[in-house]
Amino acid sequence: MKKEQLTKAFKELRKVGYFARQNHKCCQSCGWASVPDDKSERAVFYHAQDKQRMDKDGDVYLAWAGNGEDIVSILKNNGLNVEWGGTQDKRIRVIL
């Protein structure tokens, strides 16, 4: 159920202009390298290594650029438990 809520949140992020992808590329470096230049300032994703952790541990860390407060708000509005340190250098944790 929580994974469905995560998918809904990602759809909403796309609707408000974010490049938002799930299971995007193999790692964070490859994920960022494949974000289109015109979307690099508004992007949210997790990569294959994050998905493996999510499947094992039940949480996922999101790489992101943009407005962290807006991203967290959309995630929470979709019924997800979220932890974030409040700064751009911290990934957003979603607990499923």
Side-chain angles (χ1 to χ4, degrees), residues 79-90:
L80 295 164
N81 295 321
V82 179
E83 291 180 358
W84 176 50
T87 62
Q88 289 182 334
D89 64 332
K90 300 292 181 190

Side-chain angles (χ1 to χ4, degrees), residues 3 16 34 39 47 55-56 60 62-63 67 83-84 92:
K3 289 182 183 179
V16 297
S34 68
K39 295 288 188 179
H47 49 73
D55 291 343
K56 179 182 173 196
V60 65
L62 306 181
N67 185 319
E83 291 180 358
W84 176 50
I92 297 168

